[in-house]
Amino acid sequence: MFTLLGPAGTVFTRLAGAFTSTGDALDRKLGRKDALADHLRLSRRGRPIRVRDCDNPIALGVHLAADDTGSVPPFVERDATPGIRADVRKGTGFVLVVGESAAGKTRAAYEAVRDLLPGYKLIFPVNRQALAALIPEICRNRGVVVWLDDLDMYLGSGGLNVGMVQRMIDDPRRRIIIVATMSSNAHARFSARHAAVEGDLIHDVVCSGRDVVHLARGHRLDRIWSLGEIARAQALIADVRIAAAVKHAHAGRRGVAEYLAAAPELLNAWRDAWDAESHPRGAALVAAAIDARRAGYHQPLPLALLRDLHEVYLSRRGGQALRPEPWAEALDWATKPLHATSSLLLPRDGDTYLSFDYLHDSVEAENLPPRIPEETWRMLIEHVDAAGAFNLGVTAFARDDFVHAMRALERAVNGNESDPKARRSYARCVCEAGDPQRAVPLYAALFEESVRIHGRDAPQTLADRNDYARCLGMAGRVEQSVRLLEEVIADSTRVLGADHELTMRSRSTHAFFVGQAGDPRRAIRLYGALLAEWLHRFDADHPHILSVRFGLAYFTGEAGRPARAASLFEQLVADRTRLQGPYKRYTLNNRRHHAHFLGESGRAVEAAAMFESLIIDCLAVLDPGHPDTLASRHGRARFVGEAGDPQRAAQLMAELMDDESYLRTYAPDSPITLLHRRYHADFICEAGDPRRAAALLRSLVTDTQRILGPRHPALLAAKSSMIRAIGRSGRCSQAVAAYRKLIADCTKWLGPDHPLTLGSRNGHARFLGHVGDPVQAAALFEIIVLDRTRVLGYTHPHTFNSRNGHANFVGHAGDPTRAIRLLETILAERLRLFGAEHPWTRVTRTELDRFRRGGRPDPTTKE
């Protein structure tokens, strides 16, 4: 359906049923005029309505002013008006006016078009499907204004794309001009900065919309008027509406256009209406319409669907206890204009309704916007077709709501299996939601299809190869991922250039999986090179820079400098909070890594408390089964154990892995599940049951080797945990032999300085001392202390562990005086760094007291 404007601003609509997707019905010369008459309001000569015939901008989306005249006030020229007029005067091209809701965008665009292009034909499509159907006919005409109020409603699956825009405007002789408006929030979603964030939106969708936006000549209107704009408005204060708006604009909180539209009053009226005996049913209607738009349903809601949806909100607020008004009264209240301006619900054709855009923009601007209810998602997903499901899925994904993104995108794929965009988005969602193993064959099929259709070096094929490689890495197949990414980088650089976005993303992803494959130091070098290069091309707040800073911080910690990593993440969290807000996924994710490395540096009590707070914040905005929520629960369990309560930690880990939301998110063979199984067993060991732990870890080693292969760092870590549990259960000789083999494997696959290699050497020395060779154990520990000091630092927790072991076996080898001196130094440093009650401080104090009493070391002692 589309809308065409007739005389006196009357809105005329026709069903677009006669249009075919290719415009064939309009290609028949003899039937062309009849087809037009069935869909467009024609003049007496059988021609479309002209701009001059639209003398009331209300029909184009301009809000009424706060009076009872039903008209708009005089137009006040905005600071951006000269630029808008200059572009409109060309009579061809693509003009976009951007600003906050109720900033005056539509009025400014209308005045320019009305004044400069009065003889142009005026077409105002109702939705993206209607626009696509109209384009063949638009391109047959000369002198056309295509009016796209709220441009984002025309983007998305089945909507406006670069090809459509270029078809309309590439030939200036046709004199076709696209005039569009867009809210600042929507514009930000399709900006280069926002789209560059990996995973923030499904990449293909953002890029498609962003490319359309980039074709436009943009002009920005501020909601708060400048002194010059207010001065121009004062010249028109003979109009009482302008006079009142100017008065309020001086307060600096509201814009003139915002005041004229009574937008803040409408927002307050909706929020106040929830009170019992006010208009709770009407408020529920408005809330349902607001959330429909927040969910990505940008079409007007059919009345039947709106009626079903509103029951969700009414019930959540108290239902019949609110004594809600009758249905008819509620609808009348919600659609009644305030001071003859906009209403909370805007009636549209065919008994459909749309929420006033100021409302959902205001809700989204809240520090912690309310979550869209499960029932709302379910009803919307069931209502829409495949294209609508795709748009809902994209929006849910952008909101980090993977559960509903998956449902919507699955429906989109099932409704149109030939749509590769929907399949790519679905694969991405499956991967990000915690099941990369299931996503691998989905990506493989897309990659093979792209090779067959586009060729191996086509941009789409390169993008699919990159996504396939990334998914392989997330599924634990990191070495294969690194090899494929190296090929993608080479080919993308050759075909697209070193500066192309895909090349840059591939380099960043490659650096990450190089680190994940067991070489954090090389990952740091790769990220460092990227940061130095990109700082010359992007500002410090650009998402590419933030992404590289994440990689540097993460692998700084993985390479053995957790305190430094925690400091880097603390800075990154501050910047994420400033730029994106405290409750965005990447902010929460970076908070988790800050807490993690703080705990790794020995501050386990602080880390556990931070994770406790983080879980609450994650649950406020993310699903209980979201990977970041589950990872935060794991972090809490881990550092509760590290802080001295391994039994509680084992219980928390068991509860996590038995949770229904966990089982829905992670498959049994997920690398995350394998990691969590290892920590669960480690804490069982620490809590005093090493035999049970050894049995669990033996099974884990078998599964990890089957799933991830014989060289994966996760396998080596699982083997280390298993050997430690074997030794702590009293089988020290067996542990010594197993550690010798593990040291060789770690050195071969990860290098001599990798934390796992150093850790294996530490375990070997400890159990060698326990089987009766304290002299050799002390000598080995002395070398390990030197190596860990060189690699990790003198006060790193692992270095402390080795220093403690060295002192212990120095004493056991016959030099208790030196052991006491070493332990006293360690104790003083631990008291200074961690405090008297830290578990590691207590271990050192216990061992020091034992030597002072002439006792012997405890073979089960372990930090």
Side-chain angles (χ1 to χ4, degrees):
M1 182 182 287
F2 60 86
T3 301
L4 202 69
L5 286 258
T10 305
V11 180
F12 297 89
T13 61
R14 297 286 188 272
L15 291 174
F19 277 110
T20 64
S21 60
T22 60
D24 290 341
L26 300 175
D27 288 335
R28 301 187 187 96
K29 186 174 181 180
L30 293 177
R32 188 158 175 253
K33 183 174 178 181
D34 291 339
L36 268 177
D38 192 38
H39 299 287
L40 301 178
R41 176 69 177 181
L42 304 176
S43 69
R44 293 177 181 176
R45 296 182 180 181
R47 296 172 182 170
I49 300 299
R50 306 283 171 163
V51 170
R52 70 171 70 92
D53 297 321
C54 179
D55 57 5
N56 191 338
I58 296 167
L60 282 175
V62 173
H63 301 304
L64 284 163
D67 68 357
D68 296 321
T69 66
S71 64
V72 295
F75 176 63
V76 179
E77 184 174 306
R78 307 296 300 277
D79 291 345
T81 293
I84 296 171
R85 288 177 61 88
D87 282 336
V88 169
R89 184 178 286 111
K90 297 172 185 175
T92 186
F94 186 3
V95 182
L96 176 62
V97 184
V98 178
E100 294 180 59
S101 177
K105 307 180 293 294
T106 307
R107 181 70 186 277
Y110 165 81
E111 293 294 338
V113 170
R114 168 85 170 160
D115 186 39
L116 299 171
L117 305 175
Y120 272 51
K121 306 174 185 75
L122 182 62
I123 294 180
F124 184 5
V126 166
N127 55 40
R128 60 175 69 91
Q129 291 83 3
L131 174 60
L134 279 167
I135 287 174
E137 180 58 26
I138 291 170
C139 292
R140 291 192 185 95
N141 283 268
R142 186 176 186 278
V144 178
V145 172
V146 181
W147 184 265
L148 303 180
D149 199 34
D150 289 329
L151 176 62
D152 50 303
M153 294 180 65
Y154 298 92
L155 303 175
S157 181
L160 191 65
N161 58 39
V162 169
M164 295 177 184
V165 173
Q166 290 175 335
R167 184 177 177 187
M168 288 187 280
I169 68 174
D170 270 3
D171 185 354
R173 293 172 300 178
R174 287 203 296 257
R175 311 297 291 169
I176 296 173
I177 184 169
I178 303 167
V179 180
T181 68
M182 198 175 201
S183 73
S184 299
N185 287 340
H187 190 261
R189 291 199 299 272
F190 292 100
S191 69
R193 174 182 296 279
H194 199 284
V197 180
E198 190 79 24
D200 218 18
L201 278 175
I202 296 177
H203 192 261
D204 286 349
V205 179
V206 175
C207 286
S208 176
R210 183 185 61 187
D211 291 343
V212 170
V213 171
H214 279 185
L215 290 176
R217 292 275 298 174
H219 303 272
R220 186 170 292 275
L221 260 65
D222 289 331
R223 178 177 61 86
I224 303 300
W225 284 29
S226 70
L227 294 176
E229 289 171 330
I230 292 174
R232 290 191 289 274
Q234 285 176 327
L236 299 171
I237 59 174
D239 186 290
V240 295
R241 298 166 295 181
I242 297 288
V246 168
K247 177 182 177 181
H248 284 83
H250 280 301
R253 294 188 301 273
R254 297 181 182 177
V256 173
E258 179 185 19
Y259 177 82
L260 289 170
E265 290 183 64
L266 285 167
L267 180 63
N268 291 333
W270 168 55
R271 287 174 169 161
D272 292 342
W274 285 109
D275 294 340
E277 298 183 352
S278 181
H279 297 283
R281 188 181 298 280
L285 281 170
V286 176
I290 288 172
D291 273 4
R293 296 193 71 172
R294 293 175 66 217
Y297 187 96
H298 293 303
Q299 312 300 331
L301 283 163
L303 185 60
L305 178 59
L306 179 60
R307 188 163 190 164
D308 289 341
L309 286 171
H310 101 282
E311 293 289 354
V312 174
Y313 298 85
L314 188 62
S315 175
R316 285 177 169 236
R317 284 295 191 118
Q320 292 305 309
L322 296 174
R323 296 188 290 280
E325 71 276 26
W327 165 259
E329 181 182 331
L331 186 61
D332 180 68
W333 173 82
T335 56
K336 183 177 181 180
L338 176 64
H339 307 309
T341 67
S342 297
S343 55
L344 292 162
L345 287 185
L346 307 174
R348 291 292 187 257
D349 308 296
D351 216 9
T352 60
Y353 300 85
L354 198 66
S355 70
F356 180 30
D357 57 1
Y358 185 89
L359 302 178
H360 61 261
D361 282 351
S362 297
V363 171
E364 283 297 293
E366 293 176 5
N367 192 41
L368 184 57
R371 297 190 68 187
I372 299 171
E374 155 71 23
E375 303 95 318
T376 299
W377 283 113
R378 176 180 54 77
M379 283 189 268
L380 290 173
I381 292 170
E382 290 174 356
H383 173 76
V384 297
D385 59 10
F390 179 80
N391 291 317
L392 291 175
V394 167
T395 304
F397 189 93
R399 303 184 75 85
D400 303 313
D401 189 337
F402 294 159
V403 171
H404 298 108
M406 192 100 66
R407 291 179 190 170
L409 291 170
E410 189 169 18
R411 172 156 186 166
V413 170
N414 291 337
N416 187 4
E417 294 184 0
S418 64
D419 182 5
K421 185 187 294 184
R423 289 163 51 211
R424 286 187 186 96
S425 301
Y426 179 66
R428 177 67 182 274
C429 188
V430 170
C431 185
E432 295 292 323
D435 198 356
Q437 290 87 343
R438 185 160 71 91
V440 165
L442 300 177
Y443 274 121
L446 286 163
F447 168 42
E448 292 166 4
E449 182 179 297
S450 287
V451 172
R452 186 175 66 255
I453 296 173
H454 306 294
R456 189 169 182 83
D457 282 348
Q460 184 59 67
T461 307
L462 291 171
D464 286 338
R465 286 169 64 191
N466 175 79
D467 292 342
Y468 174 50
R470 179 176 180 272
C471 186
L472 283 171
M474 293 182 69
R477 295 156 65 177
V478 288
E479 291 182 350
Q480 185 180 358
S481 172
V482 169
R483 288 196 302 271
L484 285 175
L485 284 164
E486 287 170 350
E487 294 174 7
V488 172
I489 292 167
D491 291 343
S492 180
T493 301
R494 172 175 53 83
V495 175
L496 303 174
D499 293 341
H500 192 274
E501 182 180 335
L502 176 62
T503 309
M504 292 189 292
R505 284 195 294 120
S506 298
R507 289 176 62 192
S508 182
T509 306
H510 171 252
F512 181 80
F513 287 114
V514 163
Q516 291 291 78
D519 196 347
R521 294 185 177 279
R522 184 185 172 208
I524 291 171
R525 291 195 299 273
L526 291 170
Y527 275 121
L530 284 173
L531 184 63
E533 180 181 333
W534 289 357
L535 279 173
H536 290 295
R537 301 177 53 195
F538 307 110
D539 67 73
D541 290 339
H542 193 281
H544 282 326
I545 301 299
L546 298 179
S547 176
V548 170
R549 286 175 58 193
F550 171 89
L552 278 172
Y554 179 76
F555 288 110
T556 294
E558 290 295 289
R561 300 175 63 195
R564 174 59 179 159
S567 176
L568 292 173
F569 271 114
E570 186 174 23
Q571 298 168 24
L572 190 53
V573 167
D575 289 337
R576 292 277 193 193
T577 302
R578 172 175 56 84
L579 295 167
Q580 301 169 355
Y583 292 100
K584 292 298 183 181
R585 179 191 175 194
Y586 286 97
T587 307
L588 296 171
N589 177 282
N590 292 176
R591 283 175 60 191
R592 173 165 62 83
H593 284 90
H594 175 218
H596 168 82
F597 286 113
L598 198 67
E600 286 262 300
S601 70
R603 296 160 66 179
V605 174
E606 292 176 66
M610 291 174 67
F611 274 116
E612 197 79 51
S613 174
L614 182 58
I615 291 168
I616 295 171
D617 290 345
C618 283
L619 288 172
V621 293
L622 304 175
D623 189 76
H626 191 286
D628 282 327
T629 307
L630 298 174
S632 298
R633 291 178 61 188
H634 165 254
R636 174 185 61 180
R638 178 186 170 181
F639 291 108
V640 162
E642 296 282 352
D645 194 349
Q647 187 169 353
R648 172 66 176 153
Q651 179 186 345
L652 289 171
M653 286 301 304
E655 291 173 356
L656 172 63
M657 292 189 293
D658 289 340
D659 193 295
E660 183 179 343
S661 61
Y662 185 97
L663 298 173
R664 283 198 308 267
T665 300
Y666 293 126
D669 59 352
S670 165
I672 301 298
T673 304
L674 300 176
L675 173 72
H676 292 173
R677 285 172 60 187
R678 176 164 67 85
Y679 274 101
H680 178 229
D682 280 346
F683 287 122
I684 287 174
C685 180
E686 295 303 306
D689 195 349
R691 290 187 178 275
R692 181 186 169 210
L696 292 172
L697 288 162
R698 192 173 290 109
S699 173
L700 175 64
V701 166
T702 300
D703 291 342
T704 304
Q705 182 158 341
R706 171 178 54 83
I707 295 165
L708 300 180
R711 296 168 49 181
H712 198 283
L715 174 64
L716 302 176
K719 285 183 176 181
S720 180
S721 289
M722 179 185 70
I723 297 168
R724 185 168 59 247
I726 288 170
R728 285 173 63 78
S729 66
R731 292 169 285 173
C732 296
S733 297
Q734 184 179 344
V736 169
Y739 265 128
R740 285 197 189 102
K741 185 175 187 312
L742 182 61
I743 291 168
D745 289 343
C746 287
T747 303
K748 179 179 180 181
W749 301 124
L750 304 178
D753 288 343
H754 192 278
L756 277 173
T757 308
L758 297 173
S760 299
R761 289 171 57 196
N762 189 86
H764 170 249
R766 185 177 294 280
F767 287 111
L768 187 66
H770 292 330
V771 296
D773 196 348
V775 174
Q776 187 178 357
L780 290 174
F781 265 120
E782 192 160 10
I783 298 171
I784 294 166
V785 168
L786 292 174
D787 287 341
R788 277 188 157 172
T789 299
R790 173 176 54 84
V791 174
L792 305 177
Y794 190 63
T795 59
H796 189 281
H798 293 169
T799 307
F800 264 129
N801 182 292
S802 297
R803 290 171 61 194
N804 224 88
H806 174 238
N808 195 317
F809 287 108
V810 163
H812 189 28
D815 193 349
T817 301
R818 185 184 175 207
I820 290 171
R821 188 168 62 250
L822 291 170
L823 288 169
E824 285 175 340
T825 301
I826 295 170
L827 180 61
E829 291 171 352
R830 285 187 155 172
L831 284 168
R832 176 175 56 84
L833 292 171
F834 307 121
E837 299 305 315
H838 195 283
W840 298 342
T841 307
R842 292 200 298 267
V843 166
T844 301
R845 184 185 293 111
T846 298
E847 292 180 340
L848 179 59
D849 289 345
R850 184 182 299 116
F851 277 112
R852 284 171 172 167
R853 294 194 306 267
R856 301 177 67 82
D858 181 356
T860 65
T861 297
K862 190 263 177 192
E863 297 184 22

